[in-house]
Amino acid sequence: MERIRNFSIIAHVDHGKSTLADRLLEFTGAVSRRELKEQMLDTLEIERERGITIKLQAVKMFYRAKDGNTYTLHLIDTPGHVDFSYEVSRALAACEGAVLLVDATQGIEAQTVANFWKAVEQDLVILPVINKIDLPSAEPDRVKRQIQDVLGLPSEDVLLVSAKEGIGIEEVLEAIVNRIPPPKGDTQKPLKALIFDSYYDQYRGAVAFVRIFDGEIKPGMRIRLFSTGKEFEVVEVGAQTPKMTKLEKLTTGDVGYIAASIKDLRDIKIGDTITDAKNPVESPVPGFRPVKPMVYAGIYPSEGYTYEQLRDALEKYAINDAAIQYEPETSPALGLGFRVGFLGLLHMEIVQERLEREYGVSIITTAPSVVYRVRLKSGEIKEIRNPSDLPENWGIVEAIEEPFVLLTIITPKDFVGNIINLCQEKRGVQQKFLYLDPNTVMLEYHMPLSEIIMDFHDKIKGLSKGYASYDYEFLGFKEEDLVRLNVFINNQPVDALSFIVHREKAYRRARQLVEKLKEVIPRQLFEVKVQAGIGSKVIASERIPPLRANVTAKCYGGDITRKKKLLEKQKEGKKRLKQFGKVELPQEAFLAVLKVE
Ligand code: GDP
Ligand code: MG
């Protein structure tokens, strides 16, 4: 155990995490420069042939240090996006140290700070490293000062590297060996292992990536999952070197994988503890909490697909994605479908795309909505995952609460004015305004999550020419003055278009929404009336004039190929739409609410 080092590389996106990881693999001889390429090709080929994704979760390397000893290094990968921030924390809990990588041309950005604090919370030793020093625009001295001023890490501890050019790599490895402590633990104690990642393998079933804190684990052993009490028999243990390599056992301090013919990935909860079924530990690795989706949307089959097809696709998909949650729902407007919970918008996009591309169903997604909490006068608390579940009878409602986040923004100072305006518009309350250096400002806001999922990303990138970065974490629920906007098409309420909004914004949003719907709903042979209102009180209304003539009428007797093309085009457009009465609603109509401010 003295010669084991477990660490992660943490960074803002694009600061060079993957490139540095490749250099470490190459330097330690885990893979040669040529193999590094081949390795990637292999992976792609396997993915293509067998339809499985092999992602590096934890790589084992051996490093012969300057002190003459050979060390086992486990490099643990962390997911990069804010949607998966809980998983980052659990991956870090499997380490004793973290390499904090900062781009020499960009300096500290929002996820640099967010990930730094996650590492601090896990009591990790943090090695600050400035990357990309080969670039002419690199400013290592400025970034060093930022690291010292903002994160409080002494600038003499900062290493300078170019992951691309392979400069300073040995110094990073020496720092890992000399500054990060070895794992602690006791091989004689009962098994205690932390699950920090998982994936689904067609052959092995659900595979758990674990860090062993005490005891050992081998094939044949019966294990128990702490959160559910479910038991399984271990079939295989091993490590990624970086190929999946079987081992006789994993022992205290080790990082590796376990396969136990677990069929459903949802049985393997990230952050959960694995123990020996015959001799279980009393307390798990601390900090486990089940992930809770914060964003919900309805998913329905498009015209031409059935509920059963969608259900089968979702069931198959969910085996591969432990974070997704779903339950059937019925929408008066859309029929039978599912209410699906996601970790965030990116996660939702991934699910939507994979369902269509890999599982062959075309779907309609309703506008995503955050989870609301309704406190009833009776004292009961209801969780609202679908705006149409909000009680009709306001008399019984004490208050509605919505989720708030702590939002951190880092931006060049030139854009601060724009960004502050945006945050105010989005009901943000400023908590902090701090110069990281004379040119860079860090802002912190409390903001409703719903405002971030609307269109915050595009707005802030647009206002800052792409320079501002942001990150957020969930704070809690807070009471706000919220109402439901109902949408009517030809006087019929369309439940799937309704959404919850702050009362002060209701008029503006209603107006913008009906205008947007007018744009995206194709003209029909009859007039279509689009209205939005609070309760049954209409506050905005638009009319979509009827089509004058049949689209193809002009072509009769004329150019037959042109007519064909037109019909084909129509057919394509039909894939993602839903018939509502006589009106065809395209996918864009359901997402129109995201496009209003
Ligand atoms: P990640 O998102 O943190 O994993 O970043 P990547 O490793 O994918 O790198 C992002 C981009 O920066 C890629 O285009 C890399 O080639 C480039 N990059 C990474 N390290 C260096 C470096 O040391 N110097 C230069 N010039 N480019 C680098
Ligand atoms: Mg990467």
Side-chain angles (χ1 to χ4, degrees), residues 509-579:
R509 290 237 165 112
R511 183 98 287 278
Q512 288 169 330
L513 179 65
V514 293
E515 280 166 14
K516 188 80 203 170
L517 286 173
K518 181 182 176 181
E519 243 171 65
V520 299
I521 296 175
R523 288 165 72 175
Q524 324 271 328
L525 294 170
F526 44 88
E527 185 183 79
V528 176
K529 198 162 71 178
V530 181
Q531 294 168 309
I534 300 172
S536 54
K537 189 181 149 226
V538 171
I539 57 177
S541 181
E542 280 287 344
R543 280 166 195 283
I544 304 173
L547 273 177
R548 291 240 176 70
N550 189 310
V551 245
T552 59
K554 290 189 206 83
C555 310
Y556 277 140
D559 183 349
I560 192 79
T561 50
R562 196 169 141 230
K563 185 179 159 193
K564 247 193 188 156
K565 263 192 196 141
L566 238 132
L567 286 172
E568 261 163 35
K569 229 181 173 171
Q570 274 194 327
K571 222 162 130 197
E572 258 172 47
K574 252 190 196 123
K575 267 194 212 139
R576 287 174 127 219
L577 57 78
K578 207 70 194 177
Q579 200 75 30

Side-chain angles (χ1 to χ4, degrees), residues 225 279 429:
L225 299 171
N279 185 14
V429 179

